Amino acid sequence: MLLTPYRETLALPKIPSLLVVATLARIPIAAATVVLTLHVVTDLGRGYGAAGLVGAAATIGGSFGAPVMGRLVDRRGLRPVLVLTTVAEVIYWLVAQSLPYWALLPVAAIGGFLALPAFSVARQSIAALTPESHRLPAFALDSITTEMSFMAGPALGVIIATTAGTRTAMVALAAGIFLAGLGLWLLNPPTRAAHEAPVSSGERVPRSSWLKPRFVAILAVTMAATLVLSGTDVAVVAVLRDSGQVAWTGAVLSLWALFSLIGGFAYGTVRRGVPALALFAPMALLTIPVGLGGNHWWLLALLLIPAGALCAPTITASSDAISRMIPAAARGEAMGLHNSALTVGVALGGPIAGLAIDTFGPAWGFTAVGTVGLLVALLVLPAELRRRRDTPPLPPTSPLSPTSPLSPTPAAASLSSPTPAATSLSAAEPSPSAAAPVTPPAPPAADEAPPTAPADEAPPTAPADPARADVRLPS
């Protein structure tokens, strides 16, 4: 029973192949940061601060490039963008390994701008391939496979860089990106559902119709979530190093990732989605006291369980909410902005935790990022409360219609993830048009005879298909 949502989701056409290809495509992307850092420190003889500047340049470029690439997918289709980004990133890694430091900085920014959009493309395709009733477990699977990519990618990058050299590792990254782009190009997952207007229709959606406070609030929560995650990474290393238990760093971080995987898996089985803010706020709050377990690695790992278990669910809820509130013609750009929020949070978390660690001590790294996360949650709270106040209650479902349509209800466009439909049409089939509600005639007055039909007029007959005569929920 617990695995039923996942079985049904994996039975949908193209979903298993999309998840496999996306997972493999993300591995070289996940390895890029650590390989670039080792290259700057070992081969170029610079410090970690200089390596951080190169990483920041790539992150800034990626933050601006992700929505631009997403908009190109919306306008031109997926394959042209895959060709552009794959060729550009392969050239970047082949050239970067021979550049001096002063030239690597601007080239890293350009490489980040033209990075292969494997993350946003996977989420955009999931939204197109799944009906709303299966979208939550589909995004949970995406979050789980992303965790797996980030567990494998950096480890492989370190192994290649430390055994064969960082230049060889960068050439290996170029080969990995080429294979990733080729795999996505061959798979060519759809970015629009069958019932949505295709890219060739030229449909345009103005940003003003979807770039609203609710969407910005989701981006803020997403950014703050990865800020807390990346800051926690740094704080774990600092606390264990200060207590002389640095050898246990890998074990603690692996357990933390495992907690996130378990939490993401459990969240994908729920029938009723939870707002991203409701998941993120306790995650940030529970991160603050983690540093109290710094004297014992096992206690630190135990204190990480509650916050770690909310990591993947928070990202899943944010992806799910965006997929429901954004029109199909703008979904690529919106998912690109979501990816930018993820990367900006990762870039900010380390420096914020590091500043607190250097100023007050290792345990304060957790306090700093957790507090920043809570402040973001408080800033976003009014938008969530306004959304709940403005969302009308769902009308009662007609007894003639036990099933719900694929078309979203008013709650589907909210900051939170709406209740999935009990049964939903396949994403490959268009939703039938809604039947107009039938108002029953008023009963005759007590002193008035009931009307009679003319002799030559046949009485009204019931619809041939009662299932088509139900009152549909408004879209």
Side-chain angles (χ1 to χ4, degrees):
M1 191 69 178
L2 183 65
L3 298 177
T4 298
Y6 290 113
R7 288 198 189 101
E8 294 176 349
T9 301
L10 291 173
L12 295 172
K14 292 191 176 183
I15 286 294
S17 55
L18 173 64
L19 291 173
V20 170
V21 173
T23 302
L24 296 176
R26 289 164 173 164
I27 290 177
I29 299 173
T33 300
V34 66
V35 170
L36 198 59
T37 299
L38 291 173
H39 174 69
V40 172
V41 172
T42 58
D43 280 38
L44 299 184
R46 301 276 180 156
Y48 284 98
L53 286 178
V54 175
T59 299
I60 293 171
S63 300
F64 284 101
V68 174
M69 296 302 117
R71 189 173 180 84
L72 286 176
V73 171
D74 291 333
R75 297 290 181 89
R76 305 295 181 185
L78 178 59
R79 277 186 163 174
V81 175
L82 289 176
V83 171
L84 170 65
T85 54
T86 301
V87 172
E89 195 165 4
V90 167
I91 293 174
Y92 160 63
W93 285 111
L94 292 177
V95 171
Q97 50 96 20
S98 60
L99 291 177
Y101 178 78
W102 62 267
L104 184 59
L105 278 171
V107 171
I110 297 172
F113 185 89
L114 296 171
L116 181 70
F119 293 88
S120 55
V121 165
R123 297 184 181 109
Q124 187 178 359
S125 297
I126 285 174
L129 288 169
T130 55
E132 291 190 1
S133 58
H134 294 78
R135 200 167 288 172
L136 190 61
F139 278 118
L141 287 171
D142 176 73
S143 182
I144 291 170
T145 55
T146 299
E147 288 276 5
M148 295 170 62
S149 297
F150 274 91
M151 291 171 69
L156 288 174
V158 170
I159 291 173
I160 297 174
T162 54
T163 56
T166 60
R167 296 180 188 275
T168 302
M170 295 171 83
V171 173
L173 283 179
I177 293 294
F178 174 76
L179 293 175
L182 179 62
L184 289 170
W185 190 89
L186 292 174
L187 181 63
N188 193 27
T191 57
R192 307 278 182 93
H195 65 277
E196 296 169 341
V199 175
S200 58
S201 68
E203 181 184 0
R204 299 289 186 267
V205 178
R207 288 193 185 95
S208 58
S209 67
W210 56 270
L211 192 55
K212 295 182 178 180
R214 288 179 298 179
F215 177 71
V216 175
I218 284 289
L219 294 184
V221 170
T222 303
M223 182 273 296
T226 53
L227 183 151
V228 172
L229 296 181
S230 62
T232 300
D233 262 333
V234 174
V236 166
V237 174
V239 165
L240 292 177
R241 183 178 180 182
D242 183 69
S243 61
Q245 302 177 88
V246 70
W248 292 100
T249 302
V252 172
L253 291 178
S254 297
L255 287 172
W256 185 40
L258 179 62
F259 304 151
S260 180
L261 285 175
I262 294 173
F265 178 84
Y267 183 68
T269 63
V270 301
R271 296 182 60 85
R272 190 181 186 88
V274 180
L277 179 61
L279 293 165
F280 169 67
M283 170 185 153
L285 179 64
L286 293 169
T287 299
I288 293 176
V290 170
L292 296 176
N295 291 329
H296 306 282
W297 71 268
W298 55 268
L299 181 58
L300 185 68
L302 288 176
L303 290 175
L304 281 170
I305 291 178
L310 293 170
C311 296
T314 300
I315 304 303
T316 299
S318 66
S319 302
D320 181 57
I322 288 177
S323 74
R324 297 172 187 268
M325 71 171 64
I326 302 299
R331 196 182 287 144
E333 185 175 5
M335 286 299 181
L337 288 169
H338 181 256
N339 194 69
S340 296
L342 291 169
T343 57
V344 168
V346 170
L348 293 177
I352 291 175
L355 181 63
I357 290 167
D358 292 339
T359 306
F360 303 107
W364 285 92
F366 299 103
T367 304
V369 294
T371 302
V372 171
L374 280 181
L375 291 176
V376 173
L378 290 175
L379 291 174
V380 168
L381 183 61
E384 170 68 8
L385 296 177
R386 191 180 306 114
R387 193 274 310 167
R388 289 178 175 271
R389 185 186 66 233
D390 295 342
T391 301
L394 293 176
T397 305
S398 168
L400 291 176
S401 177
T403 61
S404 298
L406 180 61
S407 55
T409 64
S414 64
L415 177 64
S416 64
S417 302
T419 306
T423 58
S424 179
L425 299 175
S426 166
E429 298 174 355
S431 176
S433 58
V438 180
T439 305
D447 58 349
E448 181 180 350
T452 58
D456 58 347
E457 182 179 337
T461 58
D465 183 4
R468 297 288 183 180
D470 61 306
V471 180
R472 297 282 299 279
L473 298 180
S475 58

